[in-house]
Amino acid sequence: MNEYMQKTQTPTIFIMSDVMEGKHKPGDLEKYFDPQVLYSPYYTTIMQINAVTKTKMKACLKEIMKKEGACNRNAGDVGLLLDEFHLYSGGDLRHAIMNLQFRSNGGG
């Protein structure tokens, strides 16, 4: 991995996601990447992405449901479902979208 990062000219994205436990500590990333590569301004940019607020997540999920034609529930049920998605996703919109997709396909 380290050799690849030093030789490639193609931007590469590694996603380390642990929303429920909080931010990663440097030691967590150092298990996978040599610290000289990990902290080099030439090879790596580390970005922390904050959790999505409940209001923003619900608005995004409602928009997806509208565009996908998945609004076959009453407003109260949709509100409870979106609250559940936010709670269980820990603010991770990707997780909430996957849950929405799973539920829409009869998974729960």
Side-chain angles (χ1 to χ4, degrees):
M1 184 96 60
N2 295 312
E3 185 177 335
Y4 170 80
M5 289 176 64
Q6 291 173 328
K7 290 183 178 181
T8 188
Q9 293 183 11
T10 304
T12 305
I13 298 171
F14 297 97
I15 298 173
M16 303 216 34
S17 178
D18 199 355
V19 175
M20 299 306 276
E21 296 298 321
K23 295 179 181 175
H24 282 281
K25 298 179 275 312
D28 295 337
L29 298 173
E30 290 169 6
K31 292 176 190 174
Y32 304 101
F33 304 100
D34 181 323
Q36 288 183 328
V37 173
L38 183 62
Y39 302 114
S40 168
Y42 303 109
Y43 305 120
T44 309
T45 300
I46 298 174
M47 298 170 46
Q48 294 284 344
I49 311 256
N50 296 324
V52 176
T53 65
K54 185 177 189 178
T55 303
K56 183 68 175 171
M57 181 178 287
K58 287 175 82 169
C60 289
L61 294 175
K62 281 181 185 177
E63 185 66 23
I64 291 169
M65 291 174 76
K66 179 180 168 186
K67 287 184 178 183
E68 293 293 325
C71 293
N72 57 357
R73 300 171 184 241
N74 71 47
D77 290 344
V78 169
L80 290 173
L81 184 64
L82 298 180
D83 286 342
E84 180 183 316
F85 288 161
H86 184 267
L87 176 67
Y88 290 122
S89 72
D92 183 338
L93 186 57
R94 297 165 304 157
H95 185 273
I97 291 170
M98 286 189 291
N99 275 329
L100 176 60
Q101 184 176 18
F102 180 74
R103 289 279 182 95
S104 295
N105 290 329

PDB file of all heavy atoms in Angstrom, residues 18 23 25 37 40 55 58 66 69 85 87 89 95:
ATOM      1  N   ASP A  18     -15.814   4.995  11.133  1.00  0.00           N
ATOM      2  CA  ASP A  18     -16.159   4.441  12.440  1.00  0.00           C
ATOM      3  C   ASP A  18     -16.975   5.489  13.177  1.00  0.00           C
ATOM      4  O   ASP A  18     -16.574   5.992  14.212  1.00  0.00           O
ATOM      5  CB  ASP A  18     -14.897   4.070  13.210  1.00  0.00           C
ATOM      6  CG  ASP A  18     -15.178   3.101  14.344  1.00  0.00           C
ATOM      7  OD1 ASP A  18     -16.355   2.785  14.586  1.00  0.00           O
ATOM      8  OD2 ASP A  18     -14.214   2.668  14.985  1.00  0.00           O
ATOM      9  N   LYS A  23     -13.827   9.715  16.228  1.00  0.00           N
ATOM     10  CA  LYS A  23     -12.725   9.901  15.285  1.00  0.00           C
ATOM     11  C   LYS A  23     -11.639   8.857  15.486  1.00  0.00           C
ATOM     12  O   LYS A  23     -11.396   8.396  16.587  1.00  0.00           O
ATOM     13  CB  LYS A  23     -12.136  11.294  15.454  1.00  0.00           C
ATOM     14  CG  LYS A  23     -13.115  12.387  15.087  1.00  0.00           C
ATOM     15  CD  LYS A  23     -12.511  13.741  15.278  1.00  0.00           C
ATOM     16  CE  LYS A  23     -13.529  14.821  14.937  1.00  0.00           C
ATOM     17  NZ  LYS A  23     -13.030  16.139  15.214  1.00  0.00           N
ATOM     18  N   LYS A  25      -7.910   7.505  15.846  1.00  0.00           N
ATOM     19  CA  LYS A  25      -6.659   7.968  16.428  1.00  0.00           C
ATOM     20  C   LYS A  25      -5.557   7.700  15.409  1.00  0.00           C
ATOM     21  O   LYS A  25      -5.679   6.800  14.582  1.00  0.00           O
ATOM     22  CB  LYS A  25      -6.388   7.229  17.735  1.00  0.00           C
ATOM     23  CG  LYS A  25      -7.443   7.476  18.811  1.00  0.00           C
ATOM     24  CD  LYS A  25      -7.155   6.703  20.079  1.00  0.00           C
ATOM     25  CE  LYS A  25      -7.650   5.305  20.102  1.00  0.00           C
ATOM     26  NZ  LYS A  25      -8.977   4.971  19.718  1.00  0.00           N
ATOM     27  N   VAL A  37       4.530   8.085   5.068  1.00  0.00           N
ATOM     28  CA  VAL A  37       3.626   8.279   3.938  1.00  0.00           C
ATOM     29  C   VAL A  37       2.332   8.924   4.423  1.00  0.00           C
ATOM     30  O   VAL A  37       1.821   9.868   3.816  1.00  0.00           O
ATOM     31  CB  VAL A  37       3.321   6.940   3.230  1.00  0.00           C
ATOM     32  CG1 VAL A  37       2.254   7.100   2.176  1.00  0.00           C
ATOM     33  CG2 VAL A  37       4.594   6.350   2.642  1.00  0.00           C
ATOM     34  N   SER A  40       2.778  12.674   5.146  1.00  0.00           N
ATOM     35  CA  SER A  40       3.489  13.451   4.141  1.00  0.00           C
ATOM     36  C   SER A  40       2.512  14.329   3.363  1.00  0.00           C
ATOM     37  O   SER A  40       1.508  13.843   2.852  1.00  0.00           O
ATOM     38  CB  SER A  40       4.198  12.515   3.156  1.00  0.00           C
ATOM     39  OG  SER A  40       4.650  13.253   2.037  1.00  0.00           O
ATOM     40  N   THR A  55     -31.792  16.925  10.972  1.00  0.00           N
ATOM     41  CA  THR A  55     -32.627  17.704  10.047  1.00  0.00           C
ATOM     42  C   THR A  55     -32.154  17.544   8.613  1.00  0.00           C
ATOM     43  O   THR A  55     -32.958  17.310   7.703  1.00  0.00           O
ATOM     44  CB  THR A  55     -32.614  19.196  10.445  1.00  0.00           C
ATOM     45  OG1 THR A  55     -33.062  19.314  11.798  1.00  0.00           O
ATOM     46  CG2 THR A  55     -33.486  20.025   9.536  1.00  0.00           C
ATOM     47  N   LYS A  58     -32.755  13.891   7.346  1.00  0.00           N
ATOM     48  CA  LYS A  58     -34.160  13.635   7.027  1.00  0.00           C
ATOM     49  C   LYS A  58     -34.548  14.303   5.710  1.00  0.00           C
ATOM     50  O   LYS A  58     -35.247  13.709   4.886  1.00  0.00           O
ATOM     51  CB  LYS A  58     -35.059  14.110   8.172  1.00  0.00           C
ATOM     52  CG  LYS A  58     -34.978  13.218   9.398  1.00  0.00           C
ATOM     53  CD  LYS A  58     -35.767  13.758  10.564  1.00  0.00           C
ATOM     54  CE  LYS A  58     -37.216  13.427  10.450  1.00  0.00           C
ATOM     55  NZ  LYS A  58     -37.967  13.705  11.685  1.00  0.00           N
ATOM     56  N   LYS A  66     -38.753  10.664  -2.460  1.00  0.00           N
ATOM     57  CA  LYS A  66     -39.622  11.327  -3.429  1.00  0.00           C
ATOM     58  C   LYS A  66     -39.188  10.966  -4.858  1.00  0.00           C
ATOM     59  O   LYS A  66     -40.023  10.583  -5.693  1.00  0.00           O
ATOM     60  CB  LYS A  66     -39.558  12.841  -3.214  1.00  0.00           C
ATOM     61  CG  LYS A  66     -40.393  13.651  -4.149  1.00  0.00           C
ATOM     62  CD  LYS A  66     -40.237  15.130  -3.810  1.00  0.00           C
ATOM     63  CE  LYS A  66     -40.831  16.004  -4.893  1.00  0.00           C
ATOM     64  NZ  LYS A  66     -40.557  17.420  -4.641  1.00  0.00           N
ATOM     65  N   GLY A  69     -39.887   7.376  -5.718  1.00  0.00           N
ATOM     66  CA  GLY A  69     -41.277   6.947  -5.610  1.00  0.00           C
ATOM     67  C   GLY A  69     -41.506   6.001  -4.444  1.00  0.00           C
ATOM     68  O   GLY A  69     -42.348   5.113  -4.508  1.00  0.00           O
ATOM     69  N   PHE A  85     -33.506   5.820  11.145  1.00  0.00           N
ATOM     70  CA  PHE A  85     -32.315   5.791  10.284  1.00  0.00           C
ATOM     71  C   PHE A  85     -31.218   6.689  10.854  1.00  0.00           C
ATOM     72  O   PHE A  85     -30.048   6.325  10.858  1.00  0.00           O
ATOM     73  CB  PHE A  85     -32.648   6.230   8.857  1.00  0.00           C
ATOM     74  CG  PHE A  85     -33.442   5.229   8.067  1.00  0.00           C
ATOM     75  CD1 PHE A  85     -34.135   5.629   6.958  1.00  0.00           C
ATOM     76  CD2 PHE A  85     -33.494   3.892   8.420  1.00  0.00           C
ATOM     77  CE1 PHE A  85     -34.861   4.721   6.200  1.00  0.00           C
ATOM     78  CE2 PHE A  85     -34.217   2.973   7.680  1.00  0.00           C
ATOM     79  CZ  PHE A  85     -34.904   3.391   6.564  1.00  0.00           C
ATOM     80  N   LEU A  87     -30.804   7.650  13.992  1.00  0.00           N
ATOM     81  CA  LEU A  87     -30.315   7.072  15.249  1.00  0.00           C
ATOM     82  C   LEU A  87     -29.310   5.951  14.984  1.00  0.00           C
ATOM     83  O   LEU A  87     -28.212   5.942  15.532  1.00  0.00           O
ATOM     84  CB  LEU A  87     -31.485   6.547  16.073  1.00  0.00           C
ATOM     85  CG  LEU A  87     -31.122   5.832  17.372  1.00  0.00           C
ATOM     86  CD1 LEU A  87     -30.516   6.808  18.364  1.00  0.00           C
ATOM     87  CD2 LEU A  87     -32.354   5.167  17.957  1.00  0.00           C
ATOM     88  N   SER A  89     -27.687   5.189  12.228  1.00  0.00           N
ATOM     89  CA  SER A  89     -26.554   5.505  11.352  1.00  0.00           C
ATOM     90  C   SER A  89     -25.496   6.328  12.071  1.00  0.00           C
ATOM     91  O   SER A  89     -24.383   6.449  11.569  1.00  0.00           O
ATOM     92  CB  SER A  89     -27.036   6.282  10.129  1.00  0.00           C
ATOM     93  OG  SER A  89     -27.404   7.604  10.500  1.00  0.00           O
ATOM     94  N   HIS A  95     -24.744   5.262   5.382  1.00  0.00           N
ATOM     95  CA  HIS A  95     -25.371   4.170   6.136  1.00  0.00           C
ATOM     96  C   HIS A  95     -26.894   4.297   6.086  1.00  0.00           C
ATOM     97  O   HIS A  95     -27.608   3.314   5.867  1.00  0.00           O
ATOM     98  CB  HIS A  95     -24.861   4.220   7.580  1.00  0.00           C
ATOM     99  CG  HIS A  95     -25.320   3.099   8.442  1.00  0.00           C
ATOM    100  ND1 HIS A  95     -26.510   3.140   9.126  1.00  0.00           N
ATOM    101  CD2 HIS A  95     -24.745   1.918   8.740  1.00  0.00           C
ATOM    102  CE1 HIS A  95     -26.654   2.021   9.819  1.00  0.00           C
ATOM    103  NE2 HIS A  95     -25.597   1.254   9.592  1.00  0.00           N
TER     104      HIS A  95
END
